[in-house]
Amino acid sequence: MSEPVVVFKNVGKSYPQYNHITGGLKNFIFHLPTALKTLRTARYESLRDLSFEVQSGECLGVIGRNGAGKSTTLGLIAGVLKQTLGDVIVKKRVFPLLELGAGFNHDLTGRENIYLNGILMGMTKAEVACKETEIIEFSELGEFINQPIRVYSSGMLARLGFSVVACLEPELLLIDEILAVGDMEFQKKCLDKMLAFKQKGVTMIFVSHSMEDVKRICDRALWIENHMLKQIGPVQDVVQAYAQSFHS
Amino acid sequence: MLAMRGRKQYGNRRYNLKPRLRYMLDLISILTHKDLKVRYKSSMLGYLWSIANPLAFAFVFYIAFKVIMKIQMEGYALFLIAGLFPWQWFANSVTVTPTVFLANASIIKKVNFSRNILPFTIVLQDMLHFILSIPVIVLFMFIYHKTPGWIWLVGIPVLLIIQFIMAYGIALAISSINLFFRDLERLTALGVTLLFYFTPIFYPETMIPVKYQQLINFNPLTPLIISWRNLFLHNQLDGMYLAISLGYGLVFLGIGFWIYRKLAWKFAEVL
Ligand SMILES: Nc1ncnc2c1ncn2[C@@H]1O[C@H](COP(=O)(O)OP(=O)(O)OP(=O)(O)O)[C@@H](O)[C@H]1O
Ligand SMILES: [Mg+2]
């Protein structure tokens, strides 16, 4: 229980202003001096000096207003983003559930996407095959599993995504809000699954705007405000302080 | 523990060589399956396309240069085909490549895997299509009373490797840069078309005027295409052309990896 699995040490993340470049090579060359200057100087800071640790088997809730930097934090843990400052140490295999539909291809069927997703997260084909029926059953997608996922609703996409990570025996599970689009019954099923994971000692990091869910599942919470750590501690305290910040 | 710099990727299991290799094969196979489905809707169509396209070009050039302009050449149809098939592999890989990371945005934003696998599978796929189309070349050889020689057993693998690393290097560079300059895609299409006309594919290199002869090796594709054609038409391998194209291949591979390494960690930010 005491070994840290995720360690953030004075992590900062800032983005250069890319919009000039995505305008194309032609624009970039014609406006070379200004383009280079904005590239060098204009930076948008989305996380500043963030330090925290997540212990093995712990469930950490991450809360904060829109644009505070929650998804950025998860992206850093998943390794798809790279910090500009500080250290990010992750000592378990990550099972990320980031954006809706991330890791899926829209032209493949639900079933094919299960394989794509599972293999991308580091499983072999054989390992995914063992779990295939379980995943499909959990998702309750029925006939739709053989349809290309471009015909799925967002709730169905979320079902598929959660089912894949839930059935592949995750070690470190990252969930970014995506459950919010599921119907009540599925949300309950997911929460139950997450509680079961907690019993088994799976480490989880859970971003949500639903304080109920956070309180139910998490032991501790991390509140990010204005791209900085505002408070970290027992879930009750942090959630209460966060709720109060809206009233004052 | 805390003193470690940067990011430590977890996974003892993944560092064993054998499971790791198994895993890479699974990853490549699922990505290839996905590509075939997205690009051609089925794998058979992809193969047919890779044959039909160069054959159609061969037909057009045959009409234009043999029937109409009456080029003085024996076996012009075979000559065209021997150059067009390898060219088709190169052109296909390079023109599809700029958008490969864009098309896979959803995967790139989710997990941290070696993204260079994506252009790799594209080039691999086109290479497989090319290999599968070699029987068509052999068919045309029989029509012109020629037979494949033993030297193919050496020549084909060597040329495959050279062309693979060249195409892969170029693909890596272009696909990485295109994320930051999205109009590179159109420039690439233009570049490939220009390159086609500057490469001796529908004309033999011997027809190039003497004063331009020294320039032909400045085109990286020229020694490669000439090598393929000499292999198919005359069962010959020229060491000089091989060396030059290998040199180009390695240079492009180096440049490709260098650019990719510089930019890869920013991919998820700009997608
Ligand atoms: N690729 C990017 N390029 C530039 N800026 C970005 C990029 N991604 C995020 N940002 C900025 O970083 C900040 C933090 O974004 P983040 O997605 O982490 O917010 P969040 O806390 O997840 O918000 P939400 O609750 O709305 O999901 C935002 O202000 C956003 O504009
Ligand atoms: Mg978010």
Side-chain angles (χ1 to χ4, degrees):
Chain A
M1 273 303 268
S2 58
E3 196 206 348
V5 173
V6 176
V7 180
F8 267 51
K9 259 190 86 187
N10 307 103
V11 173
K13 171 78 195 162
S14 55
Y15 295 101
Q17 231 121 71
Y18 286 118
N19 37 9
H20 211 107
I21 311 181
T22 34
L25 201 55
K26 202 178 62 196
N27 273 338
F28 188 73
I29 289 171
F30 282 143
H31 305 108
L32 199 59
T34 35
L36 282 179
K37 206 166 140 217
T38 43
L39 191 61
R40 254 197 233 113
T41 53
R43 304 197 127 249
Y44 181 80
E45 206 169 22
S46 76
L47 273 185
R48 189 183 312 153
D49 200 23
L50 182 63
S51 303
F52 65 91
E53 290 186 2
V54 182
Q55 309 297 321
S56 174
E58 190 184 22
C59 180
L60 179 77
V62 181
I63 56 179
R65 295 171 195 232
N66 292 134
K70 304 182 293 298
S71 302
T72 309
T73 309
L74 288 202
L76 288 169
I77 298 173
V80 291
L81 298 177
K82 201 173 154 206
Q83 72 274 20
T84 2
L85 289 171
D87 291 322
V88 173
I89 301 169
V90 177
K91 282 184 255 170
K92 282 214 162 129
R93 191 148 53 132
V94 185
F95 280 67
L97 202 54
L98 301 178
E99 285 168 49
L100 205 58
F104 290 144
N105 182 285
H106 283 257
D107 290 313
L108 299 186
T109 65
R111 193 189 299 274
E112 288 165 325
N113 268 305
I114 292 175
Y115 280 91
L116 177 63
N117 212 319
I119 291 173
L120 279 173
M121 285 187 290
M123 321 291 296
T124 61
K125 205 172 188 166
E127 284 171 298
V128 183
C130 286
K131 301 281 179 182
E132 187 185 326
T133 26
E134 194 188 328
I135 296 172
I136 295 174
E137 228 155 72
F138 190 90
S139 71
E140 296 170 16
L141 284 169
E143 290 290 291
F144 277 98
I145 203 70
N146 294 319
Q147 298 279 328
I149 65 162
R150 96 181 92 79
V151 307
Y152 284 25
S153 67
S154 21
M156 288 161 77
L157 271 182
R159 276 173 182 256
L160 191 63
F162 188 82
S163 308
V164 175
V165 292
C167 297
L168 291 180
E169 289 164 17
E171 296 166 0
L172 171 56
L173 186 58
L174 309 179
I175 299 180
D176 193 349
E177 273 179 273
I178 146 167
L179 299 185
V181 291
D183 55 36
M184 289 242 278
E185 184 231 319
F186 193 71
Q187 281 191 20
K188 183 174 177 308
K189 197 166 161 183
C190 294
L191 291 182
D192 289 347
K193 188 83 187 179
M194 287 168 74
L195 287 171
F197 279 149
K198 204 170 146 180
Q199 298 276 302
K200 279 202 282 181
V202 177
T203 314
M204 282 182 282
I205 300 180
F206 181 42
V207 172
S208 178
H209 289 292
S210 155
M211 294 305 125
E212 293 304 308
D213 294 351
V214 172
K215 273 196 277 190
R216 240 184 101 198
I217 297 176
C218 303
D219 316 296
R220 287 199 306 153
L222 166 68
W223 173 13
I224 302 179
E225 175 105 351
N226 270 329
H227 319 305
M228 293 205 298
L229 187 147
K230 175 93 172 185
Q231 193 180 353
I232 184 167
V235 68
Q236 291 291 348
D237 304 354
V238 180
V239 168
Q240 202 182 3
Y242 179 58
Q244 261 166 16
S245 75
F246 285 96
H247 295 302
S248 54
Chain B
M1 203 57 100
L2 293 185
M4 271 186 312
R5 292 291 309 170
R7 185 190 168 76
K8 179 176 173 291
Q9 251 301 333
Y10 169 81
N12 305 327
R13 214 177 63 109
R14 287 221 250 155
Y15 282 99
N16 298 335
L17 196 62
K18 219 169 149 204
R20 177 101 189 129
L21 189 66
R22 169 89 255 161
Y23 174 72
M24 283 319 255
L25 287 179
D26 283 350
L27 183 60
I28 291 175
S29 94
I30 189 90
L31 291 173
T32 308
H33 170 76
K34 179 183 76 68
D35 270 354
L36 284 174
K37 201 156 168 188
V38 174
R39 275 166 85 186
Y40 304 111
K41 306 297 168 215
S42 90
S43 35
M44 199 56 206
L45 268 181
Y47 172 54
L48 286 181
W49 178 246
S50 71
I51 293 181
N53 200 34
L55 282 182
F57 269 101
F59 179 71
V60 170
F61 286 120
Y62 190 84
I63 300 288
F65 295 108
K66 185 79 188 176
V67 179
I68 299 174
M69 296 179 64
K70 310 244 175 354
I71 190 172
Q72 297 299 314
M73 247 185 100
E74 290 286 305
Y76 187 59
L78 178 60
F79 174 90
L80 278 173
I81 281 167
L84 276 168
F85 274 81
W87 167 263
Q88 162 88 3
W89 164 19
F90 177 83
N92 256 0
S93 292
V94 172
T95 37
V96 169
T97 262
T99 51
V100 57
F101 291 132
L102 287 176
N104 289 289
S106 83
I107 334 191
I108 289 173
K109 282 204 253 181
K110 178 169 173 124
V111 272
N112 180 18
F113 65 106
S114 342
R115 286 82 194 270
N116 52 9
I117 279 274
L118 293 168
F120 185 90
T121 47
I122 298 272
V123 181
L124 188 72
Q125 226 179 81
D126 289 327
M127 180 175 91
L128 291 179
H129 283 156
F130 168 68
I131 293 175
L132 289 173
S133 68
I134 290 179
V136 178
I137 304 177
V138 175
L139 193 73
F140 272 84
M141 290 178 65
F142 285 133
I143 296 175
Y144 286 89
H145 307 292
K146 292 184 189 253
T147 38
W150 288 106
I151 195 166
W152 283 32
L153 292 180
V154 187
I156 290 183
V158 170
L159 286 174
L160 283 178
I161 292 173
I162 294 177
Q163 183 162 347
F164 186 90
I165 58 176
M166 191 185 293
Y168 180 46
I170 295 173
L172 259 182
I174 293 180
S175 55
S176 306
I177 297 174
N178 187 63
L179 280 184
F180 299 85
F181 301 103
R182 303 277 163 99
D183 57 350
L184 190 61
E185 188 187 347
R186 261 167 291 157
L187 292 180
T188 307
L190 183 66
V192 168
T193 312
L194 285 182
L195 201 58
F196 176 78
Y197 291 101
F198 283 119
T199 309
I201 294 172
F202 61 91
Y203 53 91
E205 65 277 14
T206 45
M207 278 177 75
I208 299 172
V210 182
K211 59 177 173 175
Y212 300 122
Q213 278 286 341
Q214 310 100 299
L215 294 180
I216 63 171
N217 279 332
F218 282 103
N219 175 353
L221 262 296
T222 300
L224 188 65
I225 294 291
I226 293 178
S227 298
W228 277 116
R229 198 166 47 215
N230 283 345
L231 186 69
F232 288 135
L233 260 47
H234 313 299
N235 288 322
Q236 274 173 8
L237 267 188
D238 182 333
M240 229 261 290
Y241 282 136
L242 275 187
I244 298 175
S245 37
L246 180 64
Y248 272 123
L250 291 175
V251 168
F252 282 124
L253 191 67
I255 295 175
F257 259 99
W258 184 76
I259 292 177
Y260 167 80
R261 293 258 309 260
K262 283 262 164 206
L263 299 177
W265 62 275
K266 289 184 184 161
F267 284 180
E269 294 178 10
V270 290
L271 278 169

